[in-house]
Amino acid sequence: MLEPQSTALFLLLMVAFGCLVVWAVVAKQAVFRLLAACLAFVPAMLFGVVAVNKYYGYYETWSAVVADFTNGGVQNIPRVPAAGPGSGQAFDHLLGSTVNVQQAAQSGAVIGLVVNGSGLAKRIVRDVVVYLPPQYFQKQYAGYRFPVIELIHGQPGQPEDWLAALDVQTTLQQLVAAHRADPVVLVMPNVNGNRTNSLQCLNQVGGPADETYVATNVPNFVAARVRVEPPGRRWGIAGYSEGGYCTANLALRHPRRYGFAGVLSGYFRPLDSRVEYRHIFKNVDPFHGNVTLREKNSPADILRRLPAGSHIPEFWIGASRPRQDIKDAVMFVALLRKQDPATPMLLTANGVHNAVAWRSMITPMLEWMTPRLAQATVAQGCNGCVTPFGTASGKMIPSSRGALTPAGWAASQARIPAHAQRTAGAKLPAAPGAGRLPDRVPLATG
C-alpha cells in the first residue's frame, strides 16, 4: 500500500509534516520547539524525493529501491575479464568462473565488460552491461548463437537504468516463459560517459566519436567474445528518450548492422549536446555549424531523401504524452511507411515522458522484435543456428517487404547444413519463444 509512488505515502508524509509543525508551534519549551522544527525537515525532504520519483516514474516498489542501493542491485555487477577476439570458449570459461552457472540457468545473469574504443573512438573506454538470458547457460542451447538487442539509455541516465528503473530483464524472462517472446542477449552500452553528459550517440566534431563506439566498437567487441550473432539482420537496437533518437539515427545510418529498431518516446532531429568542460557544463552544437552533417544525422531528413524501396531496418515506434512526443512519432511513422507500410506504432496514455510510459512499451516492443530476430537468425543460414523458437507454430512474419513465405522458409532451411540446425547429440529445446506472431502490435494505431 505504501509503495514509493502511492498516494497513501504522500498523504502520510503530509500528515507527519503537519503534526510536527503544530508541535513546533504549541510546544512550551524551546528545546521541543527546536526539535519539532528540525524533525519537520525529514518528511518535507522525503516528500520532495518521492514527488520527483513519481514524476519520473523511477522506482515503483521498495524492493527496487533496496536492490538499487544494496549489494543486491545493479551497482555491483560482476565484471568478466575480456578474452581475446574470436575466443568464445575462453570467454564462456571466464564467465563460468565469475557467475553461478546453475543459478544463471534459472534466472539469467547480468555481467559487466570493459570495452575499449578503436578507430575514431580510440580514446573511449567505458563499461558495457550485458544481460545473458537463462537459456544461454542451458545445455540444449550450447550450440546456439543468440540474437542481440542493443539497448540505449536516455539522459540523464546510465546503462543500469534499463535494469533498475525499467526492469527489462525480468520482463523479457517472463515473456519468454509465457511463449510471447524469444530469448535474446541484451547489450547496454554507456553512450554518454557519465549521467550528466548528453552526446546523442554522435561523432561530435572535435569531440568524442560516440557513433563509432556504439554502432561499431561495442557490437564488434561483444560478437567476438560472447556466443551471439554478428552485427547485421540478427541485431536489434532500441532506446528511450535520447536513446530513442540514438536508435533511429544509428539504425538508419548503419542499416547493414541492425535488422530491427525500437524507438520509445524518441525525437528525430538532433539537439545541442551537453558536455562538461573544466567542470562546467555547456550546450554545444555537435556539428559546429555544419548543416550537411546535421541533415545526415536527422532521421526524419534521412528518410525524406531515401528512394522508395531502399533497404532500412524494420521499425517499431512507441510514444506517449506529452503531445510533442506523439506528434513526432506520427510524423516519423508516416515517413517510415513510405518504405514499409507495415511499420507498427503504439500510442499509450500511460505516464508522461518518463519510466512509467517506457515500461508500458517494453512488453509489446519485445513481443514484436524478439521473434523476428530469432527467425532472422536461421533464415540467413547463420553458422551454429537451431530452428527459431519464435516460429514454433509455423507462422511467418507479416511484412510488406522481405516477407518470409512458407516456400521461402523451406528454401532457407534447405540451405542450412543439418549440423547447423541441431547440435550433435542435442535435442531441440521446447519452444520457449513466441508461439504466435500477431499481425500487428496490440493497440497499434494508424
Side-chain angles (χ1 to χ4, degrees):
M1 182 177 179
L2 293 178
E3 293 294 350
Q5 296 189 34
S6 66
T7 302
L9 178 60
F10 280 83
L11 293 175
L12 179 62
L13 292 173
M14 292 174 65
V15 169
F17 176 77
C19 290
L20 289 169
V21 170
V22 171
W23 184 23
V25 172
V26 301
K28 295 182 179 181
Q29 298 184 20
V31 63
F32 290 116
R33 290 198 298 271
L34 179 61
L35 177 62
C38 292
L39 291 176
F41 280 104
V42 176
M45 178 184 65
L46 291 176
F47 185 89
V49 172
V50 297
V52 171
N53 178 66
K54 186 174 182 63
Y55 179 80
Y56 286 103
Y58 198 79
Y59 297 110
E60 286 192 318
T61 64
W62 291 115
S63 59
V65 177
V66 172
D68 201 17
F69 288 93
T70 65
N71 292 338
V74 297
Q75 301 299 326
N76 287 343
I77 294 175
R79 288 191 179 185
V80 178
S87 53
Q89 291 183 344
F91 180 83
D92 282 351
H93 177 74
L94 292 170
L95 180 62
S97 63
T98 304
V99 303
N100 185 324
V101 175
Q102 291 182 339
Q103 181 178 345
Q106 300 298 319
S107 58
V110 177
I111 62 172
L113 301 173
V114 178
V115 178
N116 296 292
S118 60
L120 295 175
K122 63 182 178 181
R123 295 183 179 180
I124 298 179
V125 179
R126 295 179 190 157
D127 290 337
V128 174
V129 178
V130 178
Y131 170 73
L132 303 172
Q135 292 76 16
Y136 190 93
F137 302 91
Q138 297 171 4
K139 291 182 179 180
Q140 59 266 46
Y141 290 83
Y144 182 62
R145 288 191 172 274
F146 287 80
V148 177
I149 302 178
E150 191 172 9
L151 297 177
I152 313 300
H153 61 81
Q155 194 280 332
Q158 58 188 0
E160 293 87 348
D161 292 345
W162 280 102
L163 307 175
L166 302 183
D167 204 18
V168 65
Q169 75 284 13
T170 302
T171 300
L172 175 61
Q173 188 175 344
Q174 292 173 345
L175 291 174
V176 171
H179 305 281
R180 295 166 57 191
D182 287 271
V184 296
V185 169
L186 305 178
V187 174
M188 294 155 273
N190 185 334
V191 300
N192 286 325
N194 59 54
R195 289 187 67 92
T196 50
N197 279 348
S198 172
L199 302 179
Q200 303 179 97
C201 307
L202 296 169
N203 283 353
Q204 314 278 323
V205 174
D210 279 81
E211 176 185 349
T212 299
Y213 183 76
V214 175
T216 302
N217 296 160
V218 170
N220 288 351
F221 184 95
V222 172
R225 293 160 176 83
V226 187
R227 190 158 32 90
V228 299
E229 290 296 331
R233 177 79 176 161
R234 287 87 78 188
W235 271 63
I237 183 171
Y240 62 88
S241 192
E242 179 179 289
Y245 163 76
C246 289
T247 294
N249 195 45
L250 295 180
L252 290 173
R253 286 176 58 80
H254 301 271
R256 301 295 177 182
R257 299 188 67 80
Y258 301 104
F260 304 90
V263 179
L264 288 62
S265 298
Y267 53 93
F268 305 102
R269 286 190 174 86
L271 307 174
D272 282 349
S273 296
R274 185 172 185 266
V275 296
E276 182 180 6
Y277 179 73
R278 294 182 180 179
H279 306 294
I280 298 176
F281 288 95
K282 296 183 177 180
N283 293 331
V284 299
D285 178 358
F287 312 109
H288 283 207
N290 189 319
V291 176
T292 301
L293 274 180
R294 178 173 289 276
E295 291 178 349
K296 289 182 177 180
N297 286 276
S298 297
D301 293 335
I302 293 174
L303 285 176
R304 287 192 175 96
R305 293 195 304 267
L306 284 178
S310 297
H311 170 79
I312 62 172
E314 294 183 45
F315 275 80
W316 183 97
I317 306 295
S320 65
R321 297 177 294 171
R323 184 176 180 180
Q324 187 61 45
D325 282 6
I326 295 178
K327 183 179 179 181
D328 289 346
V330 170
M331 174 274 297
F332 192 65
V333 169
L335 294 173
L336 284 169
R337 286 178 176 170
K338 293 180 180 179
Q339 302 293 334
D340 181 6
T343 300
M345 176 173 60
L346 174 67
L347 304 180
T348 175
N350 296 330
V352 287
H353 190 84
N354 63 11
V356 174
W358 304 324
R359 275 192 293 265
S360 72
M361 299 175 195
I362 286 176
T363 292
M365 187 272 290
L366 291 175
E367 289 178 331
W368 177 85
M369 187 182 294
T370 61
R372 287 162 170 79
L373 286 169
Q375 227 180 50
T377 296
V378 171
Q380 293 197 5
C382 64
N383 186 24
C385 293
V386 296
T387 300
F389 317 118
T391 56
S393 66
K395 292 184 179 180
M396 298 299 104
I397 294 175
S399 175
S400 62
R401 88 188 136 77
L404 282 176
T405 63
W409 173 254
S412 71
Q413 288 294 287
R415 291 194 298 270
I416 303 172
H419 72 274
Q421 297 183 33
R422 182 176 299 189
T423 306
K427 295 181 180 180
L428 286 176
R436 60 174 180 80
L437 288 175
D439 291 335
R440 58 184 64 85
V441 175
L443 303 180
T445 64

